Amino acid sequence: MSKEVKTGAIGLLLGLGLGLAFGLGYLLGGDVQTQDDPHLTSVEQAWNIILSDYVDKDEIDTEMLSQAAIEGMLALLDDPYSAYLDAEAYQLDASGSEGEYSGIGASVGIQDGQLTIVAVFEGSPAAAAGIQAGDVILEIDGVPTSGMDLYDAVLLVRGDEGTSVSLLVLRQGETEAVEVVVVRGQIEVPSVDFEMRGDIAYIRIEQFTERTNDELTPVLEAVAAEGAEGIVLDMRGNPGGLLDTVVMVTSRFVTEGEVLRIRDSYGNVDVYVVSHQEVTTDLPMVVLVDGYSASGSEVVAAALQDHERAVIAGTTTYGKGSANTMKELADGSGLYITVARWYTPDGNLIEGIGVIPDVELELTDEEAVQWAVDYLHGDEQGA
């Protein structure tokens, strides 16, 4: 049985399964027929020969043999977003989109072949321990992460609330790694924050969960009630999330037209258009992004850019523009595999390229927010 396609593969929640489900249930064209494939026949022959002729056949663990074969095939794909999940990890992933989990409160991705912290949630155990976005995790409880896929890293970090995990971390600009011990806790994944900065509304979306669109309704109502003259939408460090949420959030700011296009492994192209939302806004906007804005947040930024709805400011985004699906295997394990690429409304590929901002900013943190507020007031100094 196939599960929904996903956008958030970069945003692995440490302590949970991978990403957040593509809630629109993007359908594939069907399973490839392989009964007459001679290469598959060779694989079956090799399996049977090992089980029948290997000298120490009593020592063969068929479960591990099967897993090794699958992992070997995935390794040859050289795709960081495709992975094998054992039955335990598959069940864990099934509950991964509600916005709560037990872990350290951070998301990770693979950058330059290294396991890297993408975002740290405010008030989380990771934040309390001093973990920062951009930190490279070299070891997890003494196990090197070199060559480790994202799922394996998650399974090592996850654990029961109150237990601890040791991370060997190399901070940006440093030459020596430090050990950081984090006590796991119950994490509520943050979604939407809002405050007024004078007459400018500042809205931050941490990632796109099941709650995000509903949380935006009272926020946009408050924006109108406060008489805001513009909006700063901050998606820096946002690792993605549910695609149906991504489409609905985009539809708060763009009321007609395309949000994205998806080309699957069969060459089919599906076009996702805006969905009707009761509360929308046409206020001028600046969208803040950075190199850790990925997946679903790139879709939103690209759609707003292509529709000339907002000024995108910051640095080029991560470049995770692929769709993934989870397939359950006969033994209860799962295969998480890349099945499609997505494109912006203007037909631009996101994968490996990212969204290039309209205004490149070297400013970070609060300075970037203040630049955006000044920009909306007509002051472009500091760009």
Side-chain angles (χ1 to χ4, degrees):
M1 162 178 145
S2 137
K3 288 189 67 179
E4 298 96 335
V5 181
K6 305 186 175 185
T7 73
I10 179 183
L12 291 179
L13 302 180
L14 289 176
L16 186 63
L18 178 65
L20 300 168
F22 228 151
L24 289 180
Y26 176 71
L27 300 178
L28 304 180
D31 292 330
V32 177
Q33 299 300 311
T34 58
Q35 289 89 335
D36 299 325
D37 191 321
H39 301 294
L40 178 61
T41 300
S42 297
V43 173
E44 293 174 343
Q45 289 175 334
W47 176 276
N48 291 329
I49 290 170
I50 291 171
L51 294 185
S52 65
D53 295 349
Y54 180 62
V55 62
D56 295 321
K57 62 172 63 69
D58 291 341
E59 298 180 7
I60 296 175
D61 184 330
T62 54
E63 179 180 356
M64 294 303 296
L65 195 65
S66 172
Q67 179 175 334
I70 296 170
E71 290 178 338
M73 289 187 287
L74 289 175
L76 191 61
L77 297 180
D78 193 26
D79 178 7
Y81 306 124
S82 295
Y84 170 79
L85 284 75
D86 62 23
E88 179 184 4
Y90 178 82
Q91 291 302 317
L92 187 63
D93 180 86
S95 61
S97 63
E98 288 79 11
E100 294 185 2
Y101 68 98
S102 177
I104 70 171
S107 56
V108 295
I110 300 295
Q111 290 195 328
D112 299 325
Q114 295 180 306
L115 186 68
T116 305
I117 296 290
V118 173
V120 178
F121 303 148
E122 185 176 352
S124 68
I131 298 294
Q132 300 176 12
D135 286 351
V136 174
I137 302 177
L138 301 177
E139 294 182 0
I140 303 170
D141 281 337
V143 179
T145 61
S146 177
M148 185 182 294
D149 67 34
L150 293 175
Y151 257 119
D152 287 340
V154 168
L155 293 177
L156 283 176
V157 174
R158 73 177 176 87
D160 296 332
E161 182 178 2
T163 61
S164 63
V165 59
S166 174
L167 306 176
L168 185 63
V169 171
L170 181 62
R171 184 136 299 152
Q172 287 182 324
E174 301 292 335
T175 57
E176 293 188 9
V178 295
E179 182 181 10
V180 180
V181 177
V182 186
V183 179
R184 302 176 178 102
Q186 190 66 24
I187 308 299
E188 180 174 328
V189 179
S191 182
V192 180
D193 290 322
F194 160 70
E195 64 180 80
M196 291 296 299
R197 302 290 182 94
D199 59 357
I200 302 298
Y202 172 76
I203 302 172
R204 175 167 180 79
I205 300 180
E206 298 280 356
Q207 64 182 320
F208 300 96
T209 73
E210 292 178 348
R211 306 189 310 266
T212 306
N213 190 53
D214 289 339
E215 290 179 5
L216 265 181
T217 297
V219 166
L220 293 182
E221 289 174 341
V223 167
E226 293 283 347
E229 297 293 328
I231 295 173
V232 176
L233 177 60
D234 192 345
M235 294 193 297
R236 292 174 295 176
N238 181 320
L242 295 163
L243 183 64
D244 57 351
T245 301
V246 167
V247 172
M248 290 186 288
V249 167
T250 304
S251 303
R252 300 286 192 167
F253 309 109
V254 177
T255 56
E256 62 180 18
E258 296 181 16
V259 176
L260 80 158
R261 306 172 191 176
I262 297 180
R263 182 183 300 276
D264 69 16
S265 57
Y266 298 89
N268 302 316
V269 177
D270 281 354
V271 176
Y272 290 87
V273 299
V274 301
S275 63
H276 173 72
Q277 302 295 313
E278 291 293 336
V279 181
T280 61
T281 180
D282 60 0
L283 289 173
M285 294 178 64
V286 171
V287 176
L288 295 176
V289 296
D290 63 11
Y292 300 113
S293 303
S295 193
S297 60
E298 294 179 282
V299 171
V300 175
L304 296 180
Q305 185 179 58
D306 283 3
H307 285 285
E308 299 183 349
R309 176 63 184 87
V311 171
I312 312 301
T315 57
T316 301
T317 61
Y318 188 88
K320 199 284 179 183
S322 56
N324 307 80
T325 189
M326 184 73 77
K327 295 279 190 175
E328 184 175 6
L329 304 179
D331 62 356
S333 62
L335 195 63
Y336 186 78
I337 190 165
T338 300
V339 295
R341 304 290 187 205
W342 62 74
Y343 297 77
T344 75
D346 285 350
N348 299 316
L349 179 67
I350 294 176
E351 180 70 22
I353 299 172
V355 178
I356 300 172
D358 301 305
V359 179
E360 290 277 353
L361 288 182
E362 295 182 1
L363 304 174
T364 59
D365 302 325
E366 183 60 29
E367 290 182 343
V369 178
Q370 187 58 54
W371 178 92
V373 170
D374 292 341
Y375 184 95
L376 289 168
H377 283 148
D379 177 10
E380 300 184 26
Q381 293 181 3

